[in-house]
C-alpha cells in the first residue's frame, strides 16, 4: 500500500469523484470553485496545476497523485493557495485548526462548509483581492447552473430523508431551512452540543436567575419610595424590560450571526465595530464578575449568620468561591438549567419563610435609621415617606432596576435554543412570573416592617432562629446564580482564546484545561471584589448604574433605530414607539450619569462610617 505525503493528500482533494488519485482540469476547477474562488482564477490555477505537476511534454495528461514528487514550487503554491482560501475574510489570519489540517493535507472540507452560504451567521465570502467573486449572487447562480457547485447560496439547505413507499427506498432531498436551524444542524457531529434549550427550559433558567436574594431588598426600596411610587416603578420597569427584551429578540432574529451581547454591540455601532465589541466585552466581564463577587459576599454573610461568625469572614468568602468553581465546571447551559430549578425552589422557600416570619413576629429588630422602637411603631406611607433625598431615592430605584435587567444574558440563551423563534413565549412567561413575585414580596415585606425594612429583609427579623432558617435556603441560589453568570463570562473568554477550533466543542485536554483555568480566574477576581465592596446595597447600586444603563436601556433603543430606521416617523404608531424609545435612551443616560454618582457616593459614605475594611475578619452576619 502506497503511503502518501501531506502535499499528495492535499492534491487528492482536487481529484475526480470516482478516482481521487487522478486530477483533471475539470475536477480541480470544481474544487477551486467550491472553495470560493472566482471562475477566472480557478480556471487559471487548474491549468497551472497541470503544468506544474506534469513535466514537459506531458501537459495534457491527467495528474496521477501517487507518482508526484516533492517540489519547492508546488509547496509554495500549496501554501499561497491555502492562505487565499482558508484565511479569515476580515483579519487575514488562519485558524490553528486549519493549519493542522493543512499539515496533514486535509483542510478543504471545513473550508468548503464555510463557503456554502452568504447569509448572516454563515457568511465567509473570499474578498475579491484574494480571488473571490466581484458579484456574489450572479457568481453563485452561474456555478450552480453550469457546474452544479453550491457556493455562497442565498438559501440554506439541509439533507432530508424521504421514504418512497412504491419503491420502498429512502432518498435524500435538499430542503430549505432558516439560519438558526442550519447552525443547529452544523453542530450535530460535535461532542458538545450547545443548541439544546426548549423555550420551557429557557423560562426556568431565566426565572432561576431572577429568583435571587436581591428580591428581599425590594421592601427597603418601597420603604424609601412609598406604596404608590414603589409599585408603579416596579411595574413600569417590568413593562420596559419586557419591551426592550422583545426588541432584543427581534434584533437577534435579524442577525443570527450575533452569538452574544458583544456581537450585537458591534452591529449596533457600525462606525466603530471593533471598539464597540471590545468595550462591551469588558462591560460583560465586569458586570458578570461583579455579580459573582456579590454572591461571594452574600455566601460569607450566610455562613457567618448560620455559624454565629465561627471563623474569619475571608475564609467563608474563599469557601463560597471554591464551591462556585466546582459548580461552574459544566460547559453548557443545558446542565445549568437543572440547577436553576433547584435554585428557584430554594429561594422561593427563603422568600416565603421571610414573609411568614415578618408577619408572625411582634415587631422587627431594627432598620437603617435605628433599632425598634426608636423610629416609632411600624408604619407605611402611600406617598413618599418624608424626604428621602436624591441619593437614597436614586439608589432605591437602582435596586429595583437591578432585579429587572437581565438582557445581558438573553443573546446567549437565544443562541442555545432549539427554536429561537419561541423566545417570546419564554419572555412572556418570565415577565408574568416576575411581576407577581416582585410585587407580592415587596408589599408583604414593607407592610410588616415599614420604616424598619432592610436589604435583605431577613436582617429585620428579630428572632435569630428565624434569620437562620430563612437565610439557610439562600445559600443554594447564591452559588447557582453566580454559576449562571460565570458560565456566560467564561464562554466569552473561552471563545476569544480557542475560537472555532475543535477544542471549543470537543472533550480535549486543551479545551477542558482552558475552561477550568478561566473558571478559576473569574471566581478569584470575584473573591477580591466580594472583599472590597462593603454592602449589598452598594453592590446593587453600582452594577445597575454602570452596566444596566447600557444593557437594559441604551442598547435596545439603538437596536430599535436599526430595525426601523426607514420608517421611524411613518405613522402615528411608529412615531409613538420612536418617542418611547427616545425616553428609554434618556433613562439609560440618567442611570449612567447621576445614577453612577449616587452609587459611588454611597460607597464613600459607608467607608467613612463603621463598615468593615477590605479583607477583614470582622463578621458581616445579619
Amino acid at each position: 500500500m502506497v503511503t502518501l505525503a501531506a502535499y499528495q493528500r492535499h492534491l487528492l482533494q482536487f481529484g475526480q469523484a470516482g478516482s481521487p488519485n487522478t486530477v483533471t482540469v475539470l475536477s480541480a476547477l470544481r474544487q477551486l470553485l467550491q472553495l470560493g474562488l472566482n471562475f477566472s482564477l480557478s480556471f487559471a490555477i487548474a491549468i497551472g496545476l497541470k503544468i506544474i505537476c506534469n513535466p514537459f511534454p506531458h501537459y495534457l495528461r491527467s495528474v496521477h497523485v501517487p507518482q508526484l514528487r516533492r517540489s519547492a514550487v508546488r509547496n509554495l503554491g500549496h501554501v499561497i493557495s491555502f492562505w487565499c482560501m482558508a484565511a479569515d475574510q476580515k483579519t487575514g489570519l488562519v485558524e490553528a485548526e486549519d493549519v493542522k489540517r493543512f499539515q496533514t493535507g486535509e483542510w478543504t472540507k471545513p473550508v468548503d462548509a464555510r463557503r456554502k452560504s452568504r447569509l448572516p451567521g454563515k457568511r465567509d465570502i473570499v474578498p475579491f483581492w484574494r480571488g473571490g467573486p466581484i458579484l456574489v449572487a450572479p457568481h453563485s447562480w452561474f456555478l450552480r447552473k453550469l457546474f452544479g457547485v453550491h457556493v455562497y447560496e442565498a438559501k440554506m439547505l439541509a439533507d432530508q430523508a424521504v421514504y418512497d413507499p412504491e419503491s420502498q427506498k429512502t432518498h435524500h432531498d435538499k430542503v430549505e431551512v432558516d439560519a438558526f436551524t442550519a447552525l443547529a444542524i452544523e453542530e450535530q457531529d460535535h461532542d458538545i452540543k450547545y443548541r439544546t434549550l426548549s423555550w420551557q427550559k429557557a423560562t426556568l433558567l431565566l426565572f432561576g436567575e431572577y429568583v435571587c436574594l436581591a428580591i428581599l431588598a425590594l421592601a427597603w426600596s418601597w420603604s424609601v419610595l412609598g406604596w404608590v411610587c414603589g409599585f408603579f416603578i416596579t411595574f413600569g420597569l417590568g413593562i420596559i424590560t419586557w419591551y426592550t427584551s422583545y426588541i432584543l429578540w427581534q434584533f437577534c432574529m435579524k442577525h443570527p450571526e450575533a452569538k452574544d451581547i458583544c456581537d450585537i454591540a458591534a452591529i449596533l455601532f457600525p462606525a466603530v465595530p471593533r471598539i464597540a465589541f471590545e468595550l462591551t466585552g469588558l462591560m460583560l466581564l465586569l458586570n458578570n464578575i461583579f455579580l459573582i463577587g456579590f454572591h461571594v459576599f452574600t455566601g460569607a454573610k450566610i455562613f457567618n449568620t448560620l455559624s454565629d461568625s465561627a471563623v474569619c469572614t475571608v475564609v467563608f468568602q474563599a469557601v463560597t468561591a471554591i464551591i462556585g468553581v466546582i459548580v461552574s465546571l459544566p460547559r453548557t447551559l443545558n446542565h445549568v438549567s437543572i440547577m436553576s430549578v433547584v435554585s428557584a425552589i430554594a429561594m422561593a422557600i427563603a422568600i416565603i419563610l421571610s414573609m411568614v416570619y415578618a408577619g408572625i413576629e411582634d415587631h422587627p429588630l431594627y432598620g437603617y435609621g435605628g433599632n425598634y422602637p426608636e423610629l416609632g411603631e411600624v408604619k407605611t406611607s402611600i406617598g413618599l415617606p418624608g424626604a428621602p433625598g436624591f441619593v437614597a431615592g436614586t439608589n432605591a430605584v437602582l435596586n429595583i432596576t437591578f432585579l429587572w435587567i437581565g438582557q445581558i444574558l438573553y443573546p446567549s440563551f437565544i443562541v442555545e435554543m432549539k427554536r429561537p423563534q419561541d423566545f417570546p413565549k419564554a419572555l412572556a412567561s418570565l415577565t408574568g412570573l416576575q411581576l407577581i413575585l416582585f410585587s407580592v414580596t415587596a408589599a408583604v415585606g414593607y407592610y410588616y416592617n415599614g420604616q424598619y425594612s432592610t436589604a435583605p429583609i431577613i436582617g429585620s427579623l428579630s428572632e435569630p432562629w428565624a434569620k437562620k432558617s430563612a437565610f439557610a435556603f439562600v445559600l443554594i441560589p447564591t452559588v447557582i446564580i453566580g454559576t449562571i453568570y460565570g458560565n456566560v463570562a467564561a464562554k466569552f473568554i473561552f471563545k476569544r482564546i480557542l475560537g472555532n477550533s475543535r477544542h471549543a466543542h470537543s472533550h480535549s485536554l486543551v479545551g477542558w484545561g482552558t475552561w477550568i483555568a478561566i473558571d478559576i480566574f473569574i471566581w478569584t477576581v470575584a473573591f477580591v471584589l466580594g472583599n472590597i465592596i462593603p454592602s449589598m446595597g452598594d453592590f446593587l447600586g453600582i452594577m445597575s448604574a454602570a452596566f444596566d444603563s447600557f444593557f437594559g436601556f441604551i442598547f435596545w433603543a439603538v437596536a430599535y433605530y436599526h430595525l426601523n430606521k426607514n420608517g421611524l416617523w411613518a405613522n402615528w404608531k411608529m412615531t409613538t414607539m420612536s418617542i418611547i424609545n427616545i425616553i428609554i435612551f434618556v433613562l439609560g443616560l440618567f442611570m449612567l450619569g447621576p445614577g453612577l454618582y449616587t452609587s459611588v457616593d454611597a460607597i464613600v459614605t459607608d467607608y467613612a462610617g463603621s463598615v468593615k475594611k477590605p479583607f477583614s475578619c470582622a463578621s458581616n452576619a445579619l
Side-chain angles (χ1 to χ4, degrees):
M1 182 176 178
V2 179
T3 301
L4 299 180
Y7 75 96
Q8 291 173 314
R9 289 197 298 274
H10 168 101
L11 286 173
L12 289 179
Q13 315 299 316
F14 296 83
Q16 297 183 90
S19 178
N21 286 339
T22 303
V23 179
T24 65
V25 172
L26 182 60
S27 67
L29 176 62
R30 287 177 58 85
Q31 180 58 55
L32 290 163
L33 292 172
Q34 286 179 345
L35 289 169
L37 299 184
N38 63 55
F39 178 79
S40 300
L41 183 60
S42 297
F43 184 74
I45 294 176
I47 295 294
L49 190 64
K50 292 269 291 183
I51 295 173
I52 293 173
C53 293
N54 282 339
F56 179 81
H58 306 297
Y59 293 143
L60 298 180
R61 292 182 182 177
S62 297
V63 177
H64 190 60
V65 175
Q67 295 178 354
L68 289 179
R69 295 181 180 180
R70 186 179 296 276
S71 162
V73 175
R74 291 175 196 148
N75 289 343
L76 179 62
H78 291 165
V79 172
I80 294 174
S81 62
F82 166 68
W83 177 83
C84 285
M85 291 176 278
D88 183 87
Q89 57 166 321
K90 294 180 180 178
T91 65
L93 301 177
V94 179
E95 294 266 349
E97 288 301 309
D98 283 333
V99 174
K100 291 178 182 178
R101 294 188 190 103
F102 174 72
Q103 291 170 340
T104 62
E106 299 172 351
W107 61 272
T108 57
K109 288 184 179 179
V111 177
D112 279 352
R114 298 205 292 265
R115 302 287 187 261
K116 291 295 183 186
S117 174
R118 65 173 183 270
L119 294 179
K122 306 283 288 182
R123 185 192 307 272
D124 192 11
I125 300 172
V126 178
F128 175 68
W129 66 272
R130 275 201 347 237
I134 300 176
L135 300 174
V136 179
H139 172 79
S140 175
W141 179 89
F142 172 75
L143 297 187
R144 185 173 66 254
K145 294 295 184 181
L146 193 60
F147 296 100
V149 171
H150 293 274
V151 62
Y152 305 139
E153 293 284 349
K155 298 179 180 179
M156 293 191 178
L157 304 177
D159 284 321
Q160 182 184 56
V162 180
Y163 178 73
D164 185 356
E166 293 184 3
S167 62
Q168 296 185 346
K169 292 182 180 180
T170 300
H171 64 278
H172 292 266
D173 286 342
K174 291 286 185 181
V175 294
E176 184 179 351
V177 295
D178 61 83
F180 287 102
T181 302
L183 292 171
I185 292 171
E186 187 180 80
E187 71 169 18
Q188 285 180 351
D189 295 330
H190 294 175
D191 294 338
I192 299 174
K193 298 175 178 62
Y194 291 99
R195 301 174 193 279
T196 56
L197 288 178
S198 64
W199 73 266
Q200 294 90 342
K201 273 191 176 181
T203 302
L204 291 174
L205 190 56
L206 288 167
F207 191 58
E209 172 208 343
Y210 285 105
V211 183
C212 60
L213 181 62
I215 292 175
L216 295 176
L218 282 171
W220 171 78
S221 293
W222 282 32
S223 73
V224 175
L225 301 170
W227 284 108
V228 174
C229 286
F231 174 77
F232 277 103
I233 288 174
T234 303
F235 184 83
L237 282 171
I239 298 302
I240 290 174
T241 302
W242 172 83
Y243 171 72
T244 54
S245 301
Y246 190 81
I247 292 294
L248 181 159
W249 169 76
Q250 287 182 316
F251 194 83
C252 287
M253 294 304 292
K254 185 176 180 180
H255 298 278
E257 72 272 26
K259 295 180 175 59
D260 53 41
I261 195 72
C262 303
D263 290 338
I264 288 177
I267 300 170
L268 289 177
F269 303 99
V272 286
R274 193 67 191 176
I275 294 174
F277 183 94
E278 298 296 345
L279 287 179
T280 304
L282 180 62
M283 286 194 293
L284 169 71
L285 290 176
L286 288 175
N287 177 79
N288 288 14
I289 294 174
F290 263 83
L291 277 164
I292 300 168
F294 168 72
H295 288 90
V296 170
F297 170 88
T298 304
K301 185 181 283 286
I302 295 169
F303 283 127
N304 270 322
T305 301
L306 298 179
S307 67
D308 295 321
S309 306
V311 299
C312 176
T313 295
V314 177
V315 173
F316 279 141
Q317 289 179 323
V319 170
T320 305
I322 291 170
I323 294 172
V325 168
I326 295 171
V327 179
S328 297
L329 289 178
R331 281 162 63 177
T332 70
L333 289 172
N334 192 43
H335 297 84
V336 180
S337 64
I338 300 171
M339 296 188 293
S340 183
V341 175
V342 177
S343 169
I345 293 172
M347 193 65 224
I349 294 172
I351 292 170
I352 292 170
L353 288 177
S354 301
M355 292 189 291
V356 170
Y357 293 154
I360 64 176
E361 287 188 344
D362 294 332
H363 58 77
L365 178 63
Y366 76 98
Y368 292 128
N371 295 330
Y372 181 87
E374 294 176 6
L375 303 178
E377 294 300 317
V378 173
K379 61 184 178 182
T380 61
S381 175
I382 296 294
L384 288 173
F390 179 73
V391 172
T394 303
N395 278 337
V397 174
L398 289 176
N399 273 299
I400 299 173
T401 304
F402 169 81
L403 262 176
W404 279 108
I405 304 303
Q407 291 97 320
I408 188 173
L409 295 179
Y410 289 5
S412 299
F413 286 98
I414 291 171
V415 81
E416 292 201 18
M417 290 182 69
K418 293 177 184 176
R419 280 184 48 80
Q421 298 88 336
D422 291 337
F423 182 75
K425 298 178 185 177
L427 182 61
S429 303
L430 175 68
T431 304
L433 291 170
Q434 288 173 290
L435 279 172
I436 295 170
L437 179 63
F438 295 171
S439 300
V440 171
T441 305
V444 173
Y446 181 42
Y447 177 81
Y448 285 110
N449 291 282
Q451 72 274 33
Y452 293 98
S453 297
T454 58
I457 200 66
I458 297 174
S460 297
L461 298 176
S462 57
E463 296 292 339
W465 63 267
K467 286 184 179 180
K468 290 181 180 181
S469 61
F471 217 21
F473 286 97
V474 179
L475 184 60
I476 296 172
T478 295
V479 174
I480 291 178
I481 295 172
T483 297
I484 294 174
Y485 281 95
N487 186 282
V488 174
K491 275 202 184 103
F492 176 77
I493 301 175
F494 190 70
K495 178 183 172 184
R496 296 299 298 272
I497 295 175
L498 295 181
N500 294 319
S501 70
R502 67 178 181 86
H503 302 296
H505 53 73
S506 300
H507 295 294
S508 66
L509 180 62
V510 172
W512 277 107
T514 304
W515 178 263
I516 293 170
I518 293 170
D519 195 23
I520 294 172
F521 167 76
I522 287 173
W523 281 89
T524 301
V525 176
F527 166 76
V528 173
L529 287 173
N531 277 278
I532 292 175
I533 298 180
S535 75
M536 177 179 173
D538 292 339
F539 255 115
L540 299 182
I542 198 166
M543 284 188 293
S544 289
F547 308 120
D548 292 349
S549 54
F550 286 99
F551 300 135
F553 296 88
I554 294 173
F555 272 22
W556 315 123
V558 177
Y560 171 84
Y561 165 78
H562 282 286
L563 290 171
N564 301 282
K565 57 186 175 183
N566 293 325
L568 292 172
W569 317 104
N571 51 52
W572 69 268
K573 181 179 178 181
M574 290 300 299
T575 299
T576 303
M577 298 310 299
S578 297
I579 292 172
I580 290 173
N581 278 274
I582 290 173
I583 294 172
I584 290 172
F585 186 84
V586 172
L587 284 174
L589 292 178
F590 177 82
M591 287 179 62
L592 182 62
L596 190 58
Y597 163 77
T598 59
S599 301
V600 174
D601 184 75
I603 293 176
V604 172
T605 302
D606 281 348
Y607 270 120
S610 58
V611 300
K612 73 181 187 71
K613 302 304 177 185
F615 297 98
S616 168
C617 279
S619 175
N620 66 347
L622 290 175

